């Protein structure tokens, strides 16, 4: 049930050209830290979510609704870029960070990823990318073939641009 990889308050770690697969838990969890990157990798056959930038929480939607300032201890400048994500049980990427009270940005990011065939186990309210907090970035992603929503976001000052979305809410 634990993530395959947990980066807990570390800085400047990069996983590049890896395949992460075969777990009933999450693929990668990044808690705190700065400038950690998952790059040009494949995340597949994952039980829950492929990558969580911020602490994994069993009912994140309710947690954010009850505490609108929740930031998940997601650190800063952490991201996932140029990755292929598919065959997950509960969504693709959870992207938290930033301070909603002060609007200090998290600058955490998901850029140029191909996210599809996710949420095979929990088919609703598990997005291709679920973003919360303040000042995070989702751009140039291809998000497709999902049973529910492509992007779910909560918070302030996020940048979402140039994402291509098709065949969702199926």
């Amino acid at each position: 049930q634990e993530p395959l990889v947990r980066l807990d308050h570390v800085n400047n770690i990069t996983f590049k050209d890896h395949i992460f697969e075969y777990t009933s838990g999450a693929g990668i969890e990044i808690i705190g830290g700065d400038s950690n990157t998952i790059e040009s990798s494949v995340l597949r056959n994952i039980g829950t979510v492929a990558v969580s930038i911020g602490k994994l929480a069993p009912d994140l939607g309710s947690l954010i609704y009850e505490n609108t300032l929740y930031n998940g201890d997601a650190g800063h400048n952490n991201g996932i870029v140029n990755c292929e994500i598919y065959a997950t049980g509960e969504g693709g990427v959870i992207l938290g960070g930033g301070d909603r009270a002060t609007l200090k940005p998290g600058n955490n990011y998901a850029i140029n990823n191909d996210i599809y065939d996710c949420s095979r186990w929990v088919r609703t309210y598990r997005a291709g990318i679920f973003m919360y907090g303040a000042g995070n970035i989702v751009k140039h992603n291809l998000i497709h073939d999902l049973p529910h929503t492509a992007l779910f976001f909560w918070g302030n000052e996020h940048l979402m641009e140039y994402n291509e979305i098709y065949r969702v809410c199926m």
Side-chain angles (χ1 to χ4, degrees):
Q1 298 298 316
E2 295 297 314
L4 287 174
V5 174
R6 177 178 287 131
L7 301 177
D8 194 347
H9 293 88
V10 297
N11 300 325
N12 302 304
I13 303 294
T14 298
F15 286 96
K16 184 174 181 181
D17 298 322
H18 285 74
I19 296 175
F20 299 92
E21 65 181 336
Y22 299 120
T23 179
S24 59
I28 300 168
E29 178 182 33
I30 300 174
I31 302 169
D34 191 281
S35 302
N36 298 296
T37 307
I38 312 305
E39 182 179 348
S40 302
S41 294
V42 175
L43 295 102
R44 64 184 179 207
N45 302 314
I46 305 288
T48 61
V49 65
V51 176
S52 180
I53 298 177
K55 290 180 184 175
L56 288 163
D59 192 359
L60 184 58
S62 293
L63 181 62
I64 292 169
Y65 186 74
E66 292 169 8
N67 177 7
T68 58
L69 299 180
Y70 181 77
N71 73 1
D73 193 14
H76 299 89
N77 308 304
N78 296 309
I80 178 166
V81 62
N82 297 325
C83 290
E84 183 179 14
I85 297 171
Y86 65 96
T88 69
E90 295 190 38
V93 175
I94 298 173
L95 181 63
D99 186 335
R100 288 193 69 200
T102 65
L103 297 182
K104 180 180 179 187
N107 291 320
N108 294 322
Y109 55 89
I111 299 173
N112 200 42
N113 300 291
D114 186 4
I115 302 170
Y116 61 96
D117 191 27
C118 295
S119 304
R120 297 169 79 189
W121 177 248
V122 180
R123 301 190 56 78
T124 57
Y125 296 99
R126 300 300 190 269
I129 299 176
F130 182 110
M131 179 170 51
Y132 65 95
N136 296 308
I137 301 157
V138 173
K139 64 183 184 178
H140 297 285
N141 295 288
L142 180 60
I143 306 169
H144 58 100
D145 295 293
L146 299 175
H148 202 215
T149 189
L151 290 169
F152 184 87
F153 61 96
W154 184 286
N156 303 85
E157 306 297 321
H158 296 304
L159 174 65
M160 293 174 279
E161 64 182 7
Y162 306 111
N163 296 289
E164 184 177 342
I165 298 168
Y166 61 92
R167 281 197 309 265
V168 297
C169 299
M170 305 289 290

